[in-house]
Amino acid sequence: MFPDERGGSIRALVRRRDGALDSFEADALVVEEPLEIRVREGETAQPVRLLVTMRTPGHDEDLAAGILFSGGVIEAAGELLDLARPSDPRIEPELARNVVIATIAVRPGGSRRAGWRSEPVTSACGVCGETSIERVAELASAARRRMAETAADEPVVSAGLLVALPDALRREQALFRSTGGLHAAGLFDADGASVVVREDVGRHNATDKAIGSCLREKRPVPPILLVSGRLGFEIVQKAAIAGVRIVCSISAPTSLAVELAEETGLTIVGFLRGERFNVYSHPARVRGAG
């Protein structure tokens, strides 16, 4: 195996069977590697490990920013002062490229560390790395507060706009086309224009990368999120925290995702395929849906 020039995949020799044909051919595999996120409060503090997550390399700083925001470590883009790799020359380059150090503003009244989690997180995890059921409840409560604070901007979209989104997402999934092994998350304006698309081996990571990109560029998070995989509680929570209004998936939502969406005022659209979709909550944002 050898690295692909895009960095998110590697080439491998595989034995391919197709009917009666049997041959050895080159194929592309999506890369999955650990990323350690370290955080320090203020520029003079020593970094401490926040978490280790499995991810596809690329847009690591976006991922770190999104995780910090959706996890409540920071509450606004201005609290994120810097994202950098380790600069100590004694650290092996292989390690340094899998570590991001975030410098965050000191919060008046004490440390933010009470809500930090320290367990490794797999690429399949979202809130599964949180340290308690109470912490998950806190994140849901924060999502409800965020949606209430940003309730003034309420987009209403057409069915035609929604059914065009999956094709728009696929057009920007370059790594998926070569590997078939990544999830994607795309943020879209109320007119259906693509703002940012990110890919990752983890569904939650792709969402954090997309949201984190907006945070790092200090631009408003667009109102529509489309994800390529199952829509669970954690993605709805991330979307609500970020101020998204409509969350779509080409797959199914879970019961807890719909419950949180009902509580926070999010519109959930599932099974968005071809000309069909289901609206599970707050259908008034989709013209003709109720």
Side-chain angles (χ1 to χ4, degrees):
M1 296 189 294
F2 55 93
D4 185 275
E5 62 182 7
R6 290 182 294 275
S9 67
I10 58 174
R11 306 297 290 178
L13 185 65
V14 301
R15 181 178 176 179
R16 178 164 289 144
R17 179 78 178 187
D18 186 357
L21 300 178
D22 196 322
S23 62
F24 286 92
E25 299 179 16
D27 198 7
L29 298 177
V30 63
V31 174
E32 182 178 29
E33 291 182 349
L35 177 70
E36 179 174 317
I37 299 175
R38 302 175 185 174
V39 180
R40 61 180 181 180
E41 296 181 88
E43 297 180 352
T44 60
Q46 287 297 313
V48 298
R49 186 174 72 176
L50 175 67
L51 58 82
V52 178
T53 184
M54 302 303 295
R55 98 300 189 192
T56 299
H59 303 291
D60 287 344
E61 289 77 12
D62 291 347
L63 175 58
I67 286 175
L68 293 174
F69 185 66
S70 65
V73 178
I74 61 173
E75 295 180 355
E79 296 182 357
L80 182 59
L81 305 180
D82 186 50
L83 289 165
R85 304 288 178 166
S87 58
D88 190 333
R90 295 171 298 179
I91 297 178
E92 293 286 339
E94 180 75 12
L95 173 61
R97 73 185 182 90
N98 285 318
V99 175
V100 170
I101 300 173
T103 302
I104 61 177
V106 177
R107 181 174 292 171
S111 172
R112 309 164 191 257
R113 293 177 61 178
W116 294 5
R117 64 189 184 190
S118 56
E119 292 90 351
V121 179
T122 73
S123 55
C125 279
V127 297
C128 57
E130 295 300 340
T131 53
S132 67
I133 294 296
E134 290 78 8
R135 178 59 182 158
V136 175
E138 288 175 11
L139 293 175
S141 178
R144 287 189 285 271
R145 290 196 304 272
R146 178 67 175 177
M147 289 295 285
E149 292 167 358
T150 59
D153 185 16
E154 293 294 344
V156 177
V157 302
S158 67
L161 184 149
L162 291 180
V163 299
L165 295 181
D167 283 344
L169 187 71
R170 279 190 290 270
R171 283 195 294 270
E172 300 190 49
Q173 291 181 251
L175 275 175
F176 178 80
R177 285 194 295 273
S178 65
T179 66
L182 289 102
H183 290 286
L187 288 165
F188 297 83
D189 283 336
D191 61 1
S194 173
V195 176
V196 58
V197 172
R198 291 290 184 262
E199 294 180 281
D200 198 274
V201 70
R203 294 177 295 123
H204 318 96
N205 287 348
T207 300
D208 278 323
K209 284 181 176 181
I211 293 171
S213 172
C214 294
L215 291 173
R216 293 182 63 222
E217 295 184 13
K218 294 183 170 58
R219 64 185 179 190
V221 175
I224 304 172
L225 170 68
L226 172 62
V227 297
S228 62
R230 185 182 68 254
L231 188 54
F233 167 90
E234 58 282 344
I235 290 180
V236 172
Q237 175 262 325
K238 293 174 188 293
I241 286 283
V244 171
R245 285 295 185 265
I246 303 171
V247 182
C248 308
S249 172
I250 63 172
S251 187
T254 66
S255 62
L256 197 55
V258 174
E259 182 179 324
L260 181 61
E262 289 282 8
E263 293 178 6
T264 57
L266 266 173
T267 298
I268 295 293
V269 178
F271 294 105
L272 183 54
R273 304 171 185 176
E275 298 293 319
R276 302 177 62 182
F277 58 84
N278 297 337
V279 183
Y280 292 86
S281 60
H282 298 279
R285 291 197 185 95
V286 182
R287 281 195 293 271

